[in-house]
């Protein structure tokens, strides 16, 4: 017996639109069962996780802060995935962007200029893009699987960040705490609106990037090239498009946005470089991308949904006494059901029964 997936000839557009909502509903059901097994009232737990933070002004600002890197990273990943280039290493590109963007605050700490912050942001984007070229190079020249290489490079980037902030870049006046010196005011990404919208400008970068990528995908030749090569590499070759160039383009773009997200988060939310700068934003952004249907505008909405699970998870730890791991499990449910719903909508599942015939040697 084996299970095969056969693509449906006619796919319901309505089901395609409703798929993320169905995935959310199934996630709530599975989450309720999980909370019940943990001995918590399901409705109270889901309320604490997903509803209660929406009525607190401080939580709303924190929601915007956490949505910013998720949207930025997911928008870049959407281009990769629509072109069938599977970049799983955005977490590493995020870390390298934070490292490269922090070179100025570390080595030129006393440099006070309006140019400091823009240079930090540009360097962060370039750092993430440069790190993303490694799996692109390995795929185009050595036919290496980009899923494995991009994922493994993530751990190299994280360990390098850990070594830097505990060793050469460690603040000598940090009183035993790991991390660099606090950034000066010229090196900090400011809030959007003082005392009202305390979320930093990374959110603006994310929304602008989503709109620009949406425009590119909808109205430009480059966007058409992404779609064609993603659906059929052979058809793309007939049209004169280069799959190899698309690998480079998609990885560099996604790496640049992940690197920009990294330095924006360090400069805007943390204020210095430290070993832990991400609650797995790069991996969660994969869920954001697919929940948003790989559409940049949809990703804006799904970014806030996933950010809500982070904020709600922190609140639920205090209000109902659950572990912080519950947030990761809830996010895992969401990714599982998003992919499952899409699979059921676009493919038919067939069970093929095959009988093993013994070889008898001679035949008549």
């Amino acid at each position: 017996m084996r299970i095969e997936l056969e693509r449906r000839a006619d796919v319901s557009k309505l089901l395609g639109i409703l798929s993320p909502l169905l995935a959310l509903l199934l996630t709530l059901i599975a989450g309720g069962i999980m909370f019940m097994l943990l001995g918590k009232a399901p409705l109270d737990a889901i309320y604490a996780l997903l509803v209660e933070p929406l009525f607190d002004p401080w939580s709303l600002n924190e929601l915007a802060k956490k949505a910013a890197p998720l949207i930025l990273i997911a928008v870049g990943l959407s281009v990769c995935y629509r072109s069938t280039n599977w970049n799983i290493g955005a977490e590493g590109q995020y870390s390298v962007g934070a490292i490269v963007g922090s070179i100025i605050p570390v080595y030129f700490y006393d440099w006070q200029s309006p140019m400091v912050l823009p240079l930090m942001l540009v360097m962060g984007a370039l750092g993430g893009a440069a790190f993303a070229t490694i799996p692109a190079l390995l795929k185009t020249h050595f036919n290496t699987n980009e899923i494995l290489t991009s994922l493994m490079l993530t751990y190299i980037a994280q360990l390098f960040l850990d070594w830097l902030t505990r060793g050469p870049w460690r603040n000598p006046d940090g009183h035993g705490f790991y991390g660099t010196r606090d950034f000066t005011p010229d090196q900090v990404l400011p809030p959007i609106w003082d005392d009202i919208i305390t979320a930093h400008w990374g959110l603006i970068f994310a929304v602008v990037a989503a709109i620009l990528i949406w425009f590119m995908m909808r109205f430009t030749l480059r966007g058409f090239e992404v779609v064609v090569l993603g659906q059929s590499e052979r058809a793309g070759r007939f049209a004169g498009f280069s799959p190899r160039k698309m690998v480079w383009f998609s990885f560099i773009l996604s790496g640049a946005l992940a690197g920009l997200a990294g330095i924006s988060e360090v400069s805007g939310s943390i204020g210095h470089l430290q070993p832990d700068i991400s609650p797995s934003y790069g991996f969660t952004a994969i869920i954001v991308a697919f929940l948003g249907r790989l559409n940049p505008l949809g990703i804006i909405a799904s970014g806030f949904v996933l950010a809500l699970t982070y904020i709600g998870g922190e609140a639920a730890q205090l209000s109902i006494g659950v572990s912080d791991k519950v947030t990761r499990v809830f996010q895992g449910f969401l990714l599982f059901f998003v992919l499952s719903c899409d699979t059921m909508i676009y493919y038919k599942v067939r069970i093929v029964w095959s009988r093993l015939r013994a070889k008898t040697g001679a035949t008549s």
Side-chain angles (χ1 to χ4, degrees):
M1 183 190 77
R2 67 179 186 272
I3 299 175
E4 294 182 350
L5 294 178
E6 179 182 348
R7 191 169 184 88
R8 297 181 186 273
D10 297 320
V11 178
S12 171
K13 292 183 178 180
L14 178 61
L15 287 178
I17 295 172
L18 296 178
S19 177
L21 298 178
L22 178 59
L24 281 172
L25 177 61
L26 293 173
T27 300
L28 291 176
I29 295 172
I33 295 173
M34 175 185 67
F35 286 123
M36 187 168 58
L37 294 175
L38 291 173
K40 309 296 180 182
L43 293 180
D44 292 342
I46 291 175
Y47 180 85
L49 184 69
L50 299 178
V51 180
E52 190 175 9
L54 298 176
F55 296 96
D56 180 24
W58 179 85
S59 295
L60 290 176
N61 277 295
E62 291 300 308
L63 176 69
K65 289 180 182 179
K66 292 190 180 297
L70 290 174
I71 295 170
L72 259 179
I73 299 171
V75 165
L77 290 179
S78 70
V79 177
C80 272
Y81 298 160
R82 291 194 68 176
S83 64
T84 63
N85 291 296
W86 304 104
N87 180 7
I88 310 298
E91 183 78 2
Q93 294 145 26
Y94 171 97
S95 298
V96 171
I99 292 170
V100 176
S102 298
I103 290 176
I104 291 178
V106 171
Y107 289 106
F108 305 95
Y109 185 76
D110 296 324
W111 184 18
Q112 305 296 317
S113 168
M115 292 299 298
V116 171
L117 186 58
L119 282 174
M120 289 171 56
L121 297 174
V122 170
M123 290 176 64
L126 291 176
F131 198 63
T133 61
I134 300 175
L137 174 68
L138 293 174
K139 179 176 182 177
T140 54
H141 286 75
F142 302 99
N143 199 29
T144 308
N145 188 302
E146 73 273 21
I147 297 176
L148 296 178
T149 54
S150 60
L151 179 60
M152 293 299 102
L153 283 166
T154 293
Y155 300 104
I156 294 175
Q158 291 176 331
L159 290 172
F160 183 61
L161 170 64
D162 188 81
W163 172 74
L164 278 177
T165 52
R166 295 175 188 269
W169 286 10
R170 182 175 175 179
N171 181 8
D173 301 321
H175 305 289
F177 292 99
Y178 298 121
T180 65
R181 290 183 291 186
D182 290 339
F183 294 174
T184 64
D186 281 356
Q187 300 161 353
V188 171
L189 197 62
I192 298 173
W193 193 347
D194 290 336
D195 301 327
I196 299 177
I197 305 178
T198 58
H200 55 74
W201 274 74
L203 180 63
I204 303 297
F205 300 156
V207 173
V208 170
I211 293 173
L212 291 177
I213 297 299
W214 171 81
F215 182 86
M216 180 197 78
M217 295 297 297
R218 186 72 182 271
F219 297 108
T220 68
L221 179 61
R222 177 65 72 180
F224 179 70
E225 182 179 350
V226 171
V227 174
V228 171
L229 287 172
Q231 293 181 348
S232 172
E233 183 177 311
R234 184 182 180 190
R237 289 181 184 275
F238 277 119
F241 301 145
S242 169
R244 175 171 292 192
K245 289 181 180 179
M246 181 52 62
V247 173
W248 285 96
F249 172 77
S250 60
F251 267 91
I252 289 174
L253 177 63
S254 61
L257 291 179
L260 178 60
I263 186 57
S264 297
E265 183 68 10
V266 167
S267 175
S269 297
I270 303 173
H272 61 272
L273 191 64
Q274 61 186 30
D276 300 317
I277 60 173
S278 166
S280 299
Y281 284 138
F283 295 116
T284 305
I286 298 173
I287 307 175
V288 173
F290 281 102
L291 183 62
R293 315 297 292 161
L294 301 183
N295 183 311
L297 300 184
I299 284 171
I300 295 176
S302 62
F304 280 97
V305 172
L306 268 296
L308 181 60
T309 64
Y310 279 119
I311 300 299
E314 295 171 358
Q317 292 178 52
L318 299 175
S319 60
I320 61 175
V322 296
S323 167
D324 61 337
K325 302 298 186 295
V326 168
T327 302
R328 303 289 179 84
V329 175
F330 203 84
Q331 292 172 348
F333 280 149
L334 186 55
L335 177 61
F336 172 78
F337 286 119
V338 166
L339 297 179
S340 298
C341 290
D342 282 353
T343 301
M344 294 298 101
I345 290 171
Y346 289 99
Y347 294 90
K348 290 187 284 188
V349 179
R350 293 197 312 160
I351 299 178
V352 180
W353 298 90
S354 58
R355 295 180 179 179
L356 296 177
R357 296 180 179 180
K359 295 181 179 180
T360 57
T363 60
S364 56

